[in-house]
Amino acid sequence: MVKKYLTLYYKKAVSSISGESFTNDQTMTNLKKLAKSVNSYIINKQIHANIKVLVPTSFNAGKDWWVHDGIITAALRIRGAEIIPVICDRVQSDECMFSSGEWQDSRSQNFHNIRDKICDDCQQRSHEMWDIWGLNPVQLKSFITREEILRINDSVSELMKGDWRNATIENYAAGYNAWKATVNNDLQFDITDDWKERALLLSSQHLYNIMVLFKVYERVFKVFSPDRVFGNGGFYYQWGVVNHISTQNNVPYYRYHKIGISKNSWNYARNSNDLFGDGNGESWESWKEQPLTVVNEKRVVQELLLRGLQLEHDIN
C-alpha cells in the first residue's frame, strides 16, 4: 500500500511544483504526511537495512528536488536501504557548483553578504529537507581539519603558478573541471584576456573545492563504506569527484538530473555522466534524426550567444 501511495503521491506532488517559497506549502505538508507513513511502515514491518546508500549534496533549490529526492530515498528505505545524506555545510569556497560566477552576482560590492545568505539558505534547506524524513545528514566539514585546509590553500597557490588547467588528482582532471566550472558559470566559452584576472581567481577557488572534496569524501567512504551512491548528475565536480571516488572503490553511482523532453521529467544513468543514454542506442539514433525546428534552433543560438560565442553561420 505504501509503495502504491509513493507512486501516486509523486505524480500529485510534482504537478504542484512552482518556483515560489515552499517550506510551508501544501507540497511540504504532503511530504511530511508521506514521511510519517513511511517511517511507521518501516517500524511496523520491522524492516532492517541491508544496504547502505550514500546521497551526496542534493541540489535543493526547488521543491521539485525535495519531492524527487524524498520519494526516491523513501522507496529505497522501505526496500531495506540505509540512506546516508550529505551536506556541504560551507566546506567549500565562495565559488561552488550550487551557486557561482554570474549566478551569485560575484562582482557586487556586497558580494560577501550575498554569499553568506546563499550558504546559510542552502544549509537550512538541506537540514529541513532531510529532517522531514527523520534523517541526520553527514556534515562534510567535520571530515577535514583547519591545518589541512591551510595546506590545500598552499597547494592551490603553487598549482596556479603553472599549468593548472592540466592538473590532476588521482587521475581526475581537476584543472579541466575547475576551468569548466569557471567559464560555464560566467557564461563564457574560454578564459580570455578581458576577464583573465577574475577567471584565475574563480578557477583557484574551484581547484580548492575539488581538493577539499577529495579529502572529505575519501574519508566519508572509509567511515560509512557505502554499497551504492545515488546523487545528482556528475557533469560538474561537486558530484564528479564523488563519482570518481566511487569508481575507485568499485561502488556503483546512480545519477539523476531534471532534464528531458517533457515537463517534470528526470533522466537517470548508472556509472556514466551521460544522462541521455550511451549515445549508441536505437532510441538515440532515431531521436537525433528528427529535424531541428526553427523555434528550437533560435533557443540554441540564443543560449550560445549568451555564453559569448560568435556564430558566423547557421547551425546545421
Side-chain angles (χ1 to χ4, degrees), residues 127-188:
H127 282 291
E128 288 178 349
M129 184 178 76
W130 294 116
D131 186 61
I132 290 174
W133 303 94
L135 299 176
N136 295 316
V138 174
Q139 300 187 48
L140 290 180
K141 204 168 186 178
S142 64
F143 286 86
I144 193 168
T145 66
R146 177 62 182 168
E147 290 72 20
E148 288 170 328
I149 288 174
L150 292 174
R151 286 198 292 271
I152 288 175
N153 273 320
D154 291 340
S155 297
V156 170
S157 296
E158 287 301 312
L159 281 174
M160 295 304 296
K161 294 176 183 177
D163 186 16
W164 63 270
R165 285 175 62 162
N166 289 314
T168 61
I169 300 175
E170 298 181 21
N171 295 320
Y172 179 77
Y176 168 73
N177 278 280
W179 169 85
K180 180 172 70 175
T182 299
V183 297
N184 280 8
N185 285 287
D186 250 59
L187 308 180
Q188 303 288 336

Side-chain angles (χ1 to χ4, degrees), residues 60-114:
N60 58 30
K63 64 183 175 183
D64 45 347
W65 295 85
W66 287 43
V67 171
H68 174 273
D69 292 9
I71 293 293
I72 297 294
T73 53
L76 291 170
R77 289 175 64 214
I78 66 175
R79 289 166 172 80
E82 175 189 356
I83 301 299
I84 307 169
V86 172
I87 65 171
C88 169
D89 69 333
R90 304 189 76 154
V91 75
Q92 299 183 79
S93 69
D94 285 341
E95 296 291 306
C96 78
M97 291 320 305
F98 178 82
S99 184
S100 63
E102 289 293 328
W103 307 112
Q104 61 176 353
D105 197 15
S106 56
R107 289 187 177 89
S108 170
Q109 291 183 344
N110 195 37
F111 168 66
H112 287 294
N113 290 335
I114 295 173

Side-chain angles (χ1 to χ4, degrees), residues 221-284:
F221 270 73
K222 287 181 180 179
V223 170
F224 293 98
S225 300
D227 303 293
R228 305 285 188 275
V229 176
F230 179 71
N232 194 8
F235 181 75
Y236 287 118
Y237 65 76
Q238 191 161 327
W239 302 278
V241 167
V242 186
N243 175 66
H244 190 81
I245 296 174
S246 296
T247 301
Q248 290 180 319
N249 288 274
N250 296 315
V251 175
Y253 190 122
Y254 296 84
R255 67 185 72 255
Y256 61 87
H257 199 69
K258 189 175 182 290
I259 51 177
I261 58 175
S262 59
K263 184 179 180 181
N264 296 326
S265 61
W266 297 75
N267 281 7
Y268 303 86
R270 179 179 183 270
N271 294 337
S272 171
N273 288 337
D274 188 356
L275 289 165
F276 291 103
D278 60 12
N280 298 311
E282 292 181 3
S283 59
W284 166 251

